[in-house]
Amino acid sequence: MPALSGVLFSLAFPPVDAGYIAWFALIPLLLALRHRSPREAFGLGYLAGFVAFVLILSWMRLFGVVPWLLLAGYLAVYVGVFAALLRWLTGDRSARWTVLLAPLVWTGLEYLRSIGPLGFPWALLGVSQHADIPVLQLARLTGVYGISALLVAVNALLAASIMRPRTLMPWVVILGLVLVFIARSSIVRLPAAETGTVRVATLQPNVPPPLKFDPAAARNNLDVLRSLVDQAAAAPTDLVVMPETALPADIFGSSGLLPVVAGWARAARATLMATSLENGTSNIAVAVAPSGTAVARYDKVRLVAFAESGITPGFRHSPMWTPLGSIGVSICFESIFPEVSRDLVRAGAEMLLVTTNDAWSDGTAGPAQHARFAVIRAVEMGRWLVQASNSGVSQIIDPAGRVAASLPIGQPGALRGRVSLRHEVTPYVRWGDWVAQLMLAGIVLAAALLRREDLLAEFRSVAFRSAAAVSVLPLAAVAALLSIGAPWWTWTVALFALVAAFAAGRIRPLTSDRPIRWGLPAAAVAGSAVVAVLWGVVVIAYRANQVPLEVVVPTQVAVMLRQLLIAAALELWLRGQVFTSIARWKGVPVAIGVTTLMGMAVQAGLSAEAVAWAMVTGLAFGIIRARTGSALGLVVPHALGNLLIGFLTVVR
């Protein structure tokens, strides 16, 4: 049954895109959770999530099977935690509590997986309703998370009615009618259709990915863009928008294409939004006025982990001033994050643009899934949104989420339409993710009320206090030193000192309940093999997308010694003392999970690549620690992994 929920969940998104299935997709999972322990519930939820995300993210196989499965496995954790936390909170209570708590837990976790360096809000449940215009208007008030909460509430109501039909059916009917009334009434106002005053054209050149940055194809690519600009300017046009990194060379510099683009803008008598991969290191959009003057520039801020590890990010999400007004630009990956568009609108953006290049995933559901986010962003922000894509989907969307015009995937051309510059501030723009944050607060409150005795018993236990001491105190010390910019050796020395102090108090860093002979060399060999395999996956994924890698191997003894000391401090603490104390308190699986999360927390402020690496290696090292009983054997693999990630550069 959980796998059935995963299949149904995936059908609500492209390529099937049957959004109505989301209203009942979670019912099999919710029914399967009855009378299950939290640990069993986690397994069932993880299965449902893994099936769902393996199917939804099937386009990720273009990067290789291992990255695809790793990402699906990571996202499935949130569904597993949803199931486990829901069962822990509800316990043996009636199905009414499931109806009440399921939307809180699901929505709170959706919000958590959307933020931070590893935030990836792909396939949020609410996005499935992109075509249901009345329901979609709820996003103006609550953002996409409010729609997710509504869907989960209906799923929980239907599941509860199946479990307890006689008791709950009247409440199901009443609450269902209330939810439908809220979603389809004037409480969330549907903006009227309007005729725009700004004439806009988006260019869809449909350049194949292998030719996009090929010097031999540069002249032809430029000619394609010029012909599309001419096509757009055949009728009076105010704004012409290129897709992401459309120009085959730099815009600025002595040999840049700004004079060429300026000539196009003057000939079209339009503002031209030009894009390039400037100097191979900056993903930019530049507004060129009808006079031929470059008047504004935006550098992509939110980068794709690993895929853009060689790109220099911009500093902030700021709208671009143009002769037409203030325009907010999101580049590709940025459009899936609501806070990016919200920052732009709060800073004065009167319309939104998304420039993207999804051609590398043509033939899959990736471009269609990405295009759905633009609809949600338009409604949340109350703005017209224009999306220009290299190979599709290019589209023009009104503030109600209605697609006014679009170009299908693979069809070159210039998409024309009219948009309006708007100044309205929606409740979501004003208040942000208040619904999701309220859900998180509700989870904490529910835990305090429903599991108060259990929590107090845990807090009073010696095992908990021991685990908390070896976990919280060193983490707080490291965080404090990092926050003031202290050099690496200060927090490393602090960790060694705390490890020694706890060891003196009999929390030994290398002890294990199930030690094996030759544990240290076994851990060293297994850990090094994990690092080698993961690095091979990175190399294969990059080569599959024709991105060469250059690894600068350090030769200085000081650099290698530094990494060994850092690795020794972290491993003796995390896989040593923290792992031992938490395993004695809650078991090995919890110890693996907690030490992995703490290792990721230590990487706070570093790149998304570093945090992702810490997550995957942390899980693997935790398993190795459990099997071998050795933390010390993981020091060299940890240092080796740090060197590989730290000296990774991308050459385009």
Side-chain angles (χ1 to χ4, degrees):
M1 288 180 70
L4 176 59
S5 269
V7 173
L8 292 173
F9 188 101
S10 70
L11 294 177
F13 298 89
V16 178
D17 206 18
Y20 65 90
I21 294 179
W23 295 93
F24 55 84
L26 299 181
I27 292 176
L29 173 61
L30 293 172
L31 294 177
L33 296 181
R34 287 182 298 176
H35 312 304
R36 299 284 187 170
S37 69
R39 179 171 294 188
E40 293 171 328
F42 177 86
L44 296 174
Y46 190 88
L47 173 62
F50 188 74
V51 170
F53 288 113
V54 158
L55 295 174
I56 292 170
L57 298 174
S58 60
W59 50 269
M60 274 289 297
R61 67 185 184 275
L62 299 173
F63 292 104
V65 173
V66 175
W68 168 33
L69 297 180
L70 283 176
L71 182 57
Y74 163 67
L75 296 177
V77 169
Y78 290 91
V79 186
V81 172
F82 159 75
L85 186 54
L86 183 63
R87 285 296 303 134
W88 180 73
L89 288 173
T90 57
D92 296 327
R93 294 174 177 84
S94 68
R96 295 186 183 92
W97 285 101
T98 298
V99 175
L100 176 63
L101 294 175
L104 273 68
V105 178
W106 182 278
T107 309
L109 289 169
E110 273 200 342
Y111 176 67
L112 290 179
R113 80 168 170 95
S114 303
I115 61 177
L118 295 186
F120 191 65
W122 204 267
L124 298 182
L125 194 58
V127 176
S128 67
Q129 302 306 297
H130 66 91
D132 192 332
I133 301 302
V135 170
L136 199 56
Q137 303 319 300
L138 188 60
R140 294 166 53 83
L141 175 64
T142 67
V144 67
Y145 303 110
I147 302 177
S148 292
L150 174 64
L151 290 167
V152 177
V154 172
N155 273 270
L157 282 168
L158 294 175
S161 69
I162 294 173
M163 289 186 282
R164 301 288 178 88
R166 294 183 180 179
T167 305
L168 287 177
M169 186 54 70
W171 291 103
V172 169
V173 173
I174 293 172
L175 291 177
L177 290 174
V178 169
L179 291 171
V180 171
F181 172 76
I182 291 174
R184 297 187 177 275
S185 73
S186 59
I187 292 176
V188 280
R189 179 174 55 87
L190 178 66
E194 57 183 91
T195 302
T197 57
V198 177
R199 298 162 296 188
V200 63
T202 70
L203 310 184
Q204 187 164 299
N206 198 33
V207 176
L211 301 180
K212 191 168 181 61
F213 298 109
D214 185 350
R219 171 52 58 185
N220 181 69
N221 293 346
L222 199 61
D223 289 342
V224 169
L225 284 174
R226 184 193 61 199
S227 65
L228 289 177
V229 172
D230 292 342
Q231 180 181 336
T237 302
D238 301 308
L239 176 66
V240 178
V241 185
M242 294 183 184
E244 179 187 15
T245 60
L247 291 169
D250 293 345
I251 296 175
F252 301 107
S254 57
S255 58
L257 293 175
L258 182 57
V260 175
V261 175
W264 295 352
R266 285 192 292 266
R269 298 180 180 179
T271 296
L272 201 156
M273 194 65 69
T275 61
S276 76
L277 189 61
E278 201 74 2
N279 301 315
T281 59
S282 298
N283 193 341
I284 70 170
V286 176
V288 181
S291 64
T293 303
V295 295
R297 168 175 168 166
Y298 172 73
D299 288 51
K300 185 178 182 181
V301 177
R302 186 75 185 242
L303 304 179
V304 182
F306 291 99
E308 292 183 306
S309 56
I311 304 300
T312 302
F315 295 105
R316 61 184 181 276
H317 302 290
S318 299
M320 302 171 67
W321 181 88
T322 75
L324 300 170
S326 185
I327 298 177
V329 176
S330 301
I331 299 179
C332 195
F333 184 63
E334 293 182 316
S335 69
I336 74 174
F337 297 96
E339 66 269 19
V340 172
S341 298
R342 183 168 173 260
D343 287 346
L344 291 169
V345 172
R346 286 172 64 90
E350 299 164 294
M351 67 173 289
L352 297 173
L353 298 182
V354 174
T355 66
T356 186
N357 174 30
D358 293 331
W360 50 269
S361 60
D362 279 355
T364 73
Q369 291 175 8
H370 186 202
R372 303 310 185 247
F373 287 94
V375 175
I376 305 294
R377 298 292 89 87
V379 177
E380 290 172 333
M381 309 305 156
R383 294 292 184 271
W384 281 85
L385 189 147
V386 176
Q387 176 164 312
S389 179
N390 173 37
S391 62
V393 178
S394 295
Q395 52 189 342
I396 299 173
I397 305 163
D398 80 357
R402 293 171 289 228
V403 179
S406 66
L407 271 179
I409 294 173
Q411 178 179 318
L415 177 67
R416 300 178 55 83
R418 287 178 175 266
V419 305
S420 293
L421 302 180
R422 295 172 60 91
H423 303 88
E424 174 196 12
V425 177
T426 65
Y428 177 73
V429 170
R430 182 177 294 111
W431 300 326
D433 295 315
W434 65 276
V435 165
Q437 292 160 0
L438 190 63
M439 298 292 181
L440 287 176
I443 295 171
V444 175
L445 180 61
L449 293 176
L450 301 179
R451 309 295 299 195
R452 179 174 176 273
E453 296 301 323
D454 293 337
L455 291 173
L456 288 176
E458 291 287 3
F459 293 155
R460 292 170 182 151
S461 69
V462 174
F464 169 78
R465 293 178 182 179
S466 174
V470 298
S471 302
V472 176
L473 183 58
L475 185 62
V478 171
L481 290 170
L482 289 175
S483 67
I484 62 175
W488 68 273
W489 60 267
T490 57
W491 62 265
T492 303
V493 169
L495 268 185
F496 275 126
L498 288 168
V499 165
F502 287 127
R506 297 184 181 180
I507 302 178
R508 303 291 181 181
L510 302 180
T511 57
S512 172
D513 294 332
R514 298 174 60 189
I516 67 169
R517 193 178 183 185
W518 307 110
L520 190 152
V525 171
S528 299
V530 165
V531 170
V533 169
L534 290 175
W535 182 252
V537 169
V538 172
V539 172
I540 291 171
Y542 275 51
R543 288 180 177 175
N545 288 273
Q546 301 180 337
V547 179
L549 293 179
E550 179 183 346
V551 180
V552 182
V553 180
T555 58
Q556 302 94 337
V557 174
V559 173
M560 292 184 282
L561 180 60
R562 167 183 170 177
Q563 291 300 334
L564 281 172
L565 289 173
I566 291 174
L570 288 173
E571 288 303 325
L572 290 176
W573 171 49
L574 288 175
R575 251 67 63 175
Q577 291 172 335
V578 176
F579 188 99
T580 300
S581 60
I582 293 181
R584 289 173 179 170
W585 172 45
K586 280 296 179 182
V588 168
V590 175
I592 294 173
V594 171
T595 52
T596 299
L597 290 173
M598 293 178 67
M600 294 166 62
V602 172
Q603 306 297 323
L606 299 182
S607 66
E609 290 84 359
V611 178
W613 186 267
M615 178 182 68
V616 179
T617 57
L619 288 171
F621 287 179
I623 294 171
I624 293 170
R625 163 66 174 85
R627 300 292 295 176
T628 65
S630 175
L632 193 60
L634 295 167
V635 171
V636 170
H638 189 134
L640 176 62
N642 285 352
L643 289 170
L644 287 173
I645 287 296
F647 290 91
L648 172 71
T649 58
V650 181
V651 180
R652 293 177 182 264

